[in-house]
Amino acid sequence: MDRAALRLILLGVFLISASSHPVKKQYVDIYSFYINSTVTSRYATTVITSRVANTVNESQEIQFEVKIPKNAFISKFRMTIEGKIYDGVVKEKQEAQQQYSRAVSRGESAGLIKSVGRTLEDFKTSVTVAAFSKVTFELTYEELLKRRLGKYELLINAQPMQPVADFKIDVHIQEKPGFSFLEVKGDLSTGDLANAIKTTRADKDAWVTFYPTQHQQTKCESCGESGLKGDLLITYDVERSSHKGEVMVSNGYFVHYFAPSDVSRIPKNVVFIIDRSGSMHGRKIHQTRLALLKILSDLDEDDHFGLITFDSEVKTWKNELLKATKENLETAKSFVKEIREGGYTDINAAVLAGVDMIHRHPREGTASILILLTDGDPTSGETNKDRIMANVREAIGPKFPLYCLGFGYDVNFDFLTKMSLENGGVARRIYEDSDADLQLQGFYDEVAVPLLTDVQLKYTGGTNLTKTSFSLYFNGSEIVVSGQITDNSVESFTSEVIAVSKGSNVTYQETVMVKDTSDVPPENEDFMPRLWAYLTVKQILERQVLLKGQEKEDEKKEALKLSLKYQFVTPLTSMVVTKPQGEEVEVADKPKEGGEEPDVDISTYNANYPSGQTFDLLAAPDSWPSSLETLYDSVYYYDLEPDSDLHIRSTYTQTAVTEFPEVQDPHYLYIVLPSTATLLIIAGFGIFWICRKHRKTNQEVQTRGEEITYADPTFYKRKAHKSIVQEEDEVVYSLQL
Ligand SMILES: *[C@@H]1O[C@H](CO)[C@@H](O)[C@H](O)[C@H]1NC(C)=O
Ligand SMILES: *[C@@H]1O[C@H](CO)[C@@H](O)[C@H](O)[C@H]1NC(C)=O
Ligand SMILES: *[C@@H]1O[C@H](CO)[C@@H](O)[C@H](O)[C@H]1NC(C)=O
Ligand SMILES: *[C@@H]1O[C@H](CO)[C@@H](O)[C@H](O)[C@H]1NC(C)=O
Ligand SMILES: *[C@@H]1O[C@H](CO)[C@@H](O)[C@H](O)[C@H]1NC(C)=O
């Protein structure tokens, strides 16, 4: 019998009216919407300005909602209403929380920023505006663009919710070494909108403008009646005439960008440690196989590799690392094709087996890498996470990095982050989605070509430096170090990089004249201290998981001090947004980094149907996803009390999960509505309450009389358990609209 696995989320057939934010769009005129982004040496500052008029003769609530990159820190938010300015103020989180709880106790709501999807956060607020009055919203955020696979990406999202008469995106990029290429992509560059984009390039500057007319704003693939909706993605790279990197000095600060390409690749020893526990069932294991097959094809002939799969048992393809010859790759691929999911998760034994494999292989003149892919907690063998981390740390020594890829939302990402940081690597999320295999390959591509190992950067006269020691440098990436200069009167500043390239030591030395500040245009003079603060805060926050006691507190204090000084909304601070008198105070917090859960919006579907009837949901509101494939990705599952009357019943016939989207039409979901409104209300409130408390429910369901594994909504920390769902069982679903 075909096993069907759906990922379904929580539910939201609600009697409670869901319209908590009545936005009368038609009575609101966004008459101007500007996005102004300035990038100076990879440091991007973006200002979004939205000017809105209340066009009716009574006061109403006007909403401002924008999406910003997760990597960015918000540094300013301002509302101007009838000439009066309301600035958001960044405060220590606790202090802001106190203000926040006072607001809550007055029955006011709060919480302005939430994480959406993989790369963006949503900032949303609203304010009441008098009849025929105007409001200006202005939001500023800052980020350091990271080089990945040979390029920087500046992502700008625009969805003003209506066509705007005066809409402008202005991007100005200043890069001292000049550009090797620059491209504008994203859904806002498609169709008719492409004509609205202008790119101008000079020696060290590039400008991208996007001025679509009101008419054009309704004419792109992802736009419509409600205007523009999508991303503008500007990708570029800079010229690198000097392999010593680019050193810039200004006002007592420096930044060093180091990305040499004059060295040859170092052969690598790579071991893939692949989770094949039961929870990998279905699409995840399928995508993992696909990705591995592709990755194996990309190995270089002088690479050595090993494959380990594990559930409660550890299985190796071969006992030692083998050269990536054609024959070896063929047998490895057959091994990969046979990977099947099974039991529990013994991360400890699997990683130790991988470490042992690398240790037994001669490593002179090579770079060793361990890549762990898992989708869950350790549940077999050693399950104490501290002991696992200690074991792994001891086994690896600081000899080579461990990269951890956390697949899906059930992983303990904090644990993976900590374990990889302790061992010189990083943890990365692999989002459960149709492109998970590409995400896995993308990660591999980033680490595919090691160029240097044991990279140490030194700066005479430099202080308060960001991270200066890196175990590996990969082609296509970039090392960035920033710091302060102790003696600002020195004439020159010297950087020195010592690293190992294919077994031999290499040194790069560069001296720049401090007085030569002509390269930094006056209006951006202050970017360097901000860049330094941004990088320092990011790295301290990352290191926090590794530190303990006083050191941890001291570093945290330092990061807090900088966040407050530069008004960054970081995980340590909150922005308090005060509004005109009589309105609530709101608090903006940065969503937790790396630990985001899918956004479960349960309050959006208002099932206002007569009771006792059956509805075809696909024929219902337009906003329901129209294909089951999307449905699986955005639907979560929740099982109600067995005798409750509120159901949406799944009656589709078949989902061949291993060959995923091959589902046949028609797929129907039905809502069977209860006979009495009372039951509905009770159930609705119950669910609402549970959802509020446990917005983390996420699990796989296997229907058709098979076992299902799902999270117990009564546990905050999700503990998987199993139960049987019969084919005819009625379960409750909801869509994320
Ligand atoms: C963008 O910012 C630059 C520099 O601050 C300014 O000169 C320009 O007028 C701004 N453009 C818009 C559309 O606000
Ligand atoms: C707003 O205008 C309508 C007619 O356009 C009128 O009936 C109503 O009384 C006005 N409301 C206020 C508060 O002036
Ligand atoms: C590094 O990547 C660039 C393209 O981004 C490529 O041209 C170059 O050959 C690569 N270097 C090595 C050593 O593979
Ligand atoms: C920078 O370092 C100096 C000591 O070298 C220290 O006194 C100072 O507080 C540091 N400044 C910041 C902002 O970290
Ligand atoms: C590289 O430098 C280190 C110390 O600086 C030294 O121990 C090592 O022998 C050198 N390796 C080579 C290949 O020169």
Side-chain angles (χ1 to χ4, degrees), residues 24 65 222 319 327 464 501 543 553 590 611 655 689:
K24 300 178 203 157
E65 180 172 7
S222 59
N319 258 329
E327 299 75 46
N464 299 333
S501 147
R543 272 200 305 271
E553 286 312 306
K590 187 148 185 79
S611 58
T655 54
W689 181 81

Side-chain angles (χ1 to χ4, degrees), residues 446-462:
E446 285 180 43
V447 300
V449 184
L451 294 182
L452 296 172
T453 63
D454 304 312
V455 186
Q456 309 290 333
L457 301 102
K458 295 180 183 160
Y459 304 90
T460 352

Side-chain angles (χ1 to χ4, degrees), residues 270-287:
V270 58
V271 177
F272 300 96
I273 307 169
I274 307 297
D275 190 338
R276 60 178 156 85
S277 62
S279 51
M280 287 287 285
H281 171 78
R283 190 161 68 154
K284 284 201 263 185
I285 198 83
H286 176 64
Q287 290 170 320

Side-chain angles (χ1 to χ4, degrees), residues 154 159 173 353 363 398 443 486 578 635:
L154 176 69
Q159 42 188 104
I173 306 174
R363 286 181 294 119
F443 173 80
T486 34
T578 313
V635 177

Side-chain angles (χ1 to χ4, degrees), residues 24-32 50-56 58 60-62 129-137 162:
K24 300 178 203 157
K25 284 185 197 108
Q26 59 274 40
Y27 305 131
V28 167
D29 180 27
I30 303 174
Y31 58 96
S32 138
S50 171
R51 296 184 170 84
V52 191
N54 175 5
T55 57
V56 293
E58 54 191 38
Q60 64 168 328
E61 198 177 3
I62 290 182
V129 176
F132 304 122
S133 281
K134 293 174 181 171
V135 54
T136 301
F137 299 99
Q162 59 175 248

Side-chain angles (χ1 to χ4, degrees), residues 150 263-265 449 451 475-476:
V263 276
S264 49
R265 64 178 294 280
V449 184
L451 294 182
N475 198 22

Side-chain angles (χ1 to χ4, degrees), residues 196-260:
I197 297 175
K198 262 209 189 71
T199 306
T200 318
R201 263 168 69 175
D203 208 14
K204 299 171 180 173
D205 297 82
W207 292 267
V208 176
T209 62
F210 177 59
Y211 299 165
T213 63
Q214 214 158 354
H215 178 70
Q216 282 171 324
Q217 288 170 42
T218 59
K219 293 269 180 277
C220 80
E221 278 165 26
S222 59
C223 353
E225 288 299 295
S226 58
L228 291 175
K229 187 177 178 200
D231 297 327
L232 208 58
L233 184 69
I234 297 163
T235 65
Y236 71 94
D237 198 12
V238 301
E239 288 292 352
R240 282 167 222 282
S241 48
S242 160
H243 297 294
K244 300 163 184 167
E246 181 189 342
V247 180
M248 294 174 82
V249 176
S250 163
N251 286 331
Y253 288 82
F254 77 89
V255 58
H256 182 194
Y257 300 97
F258 181 69

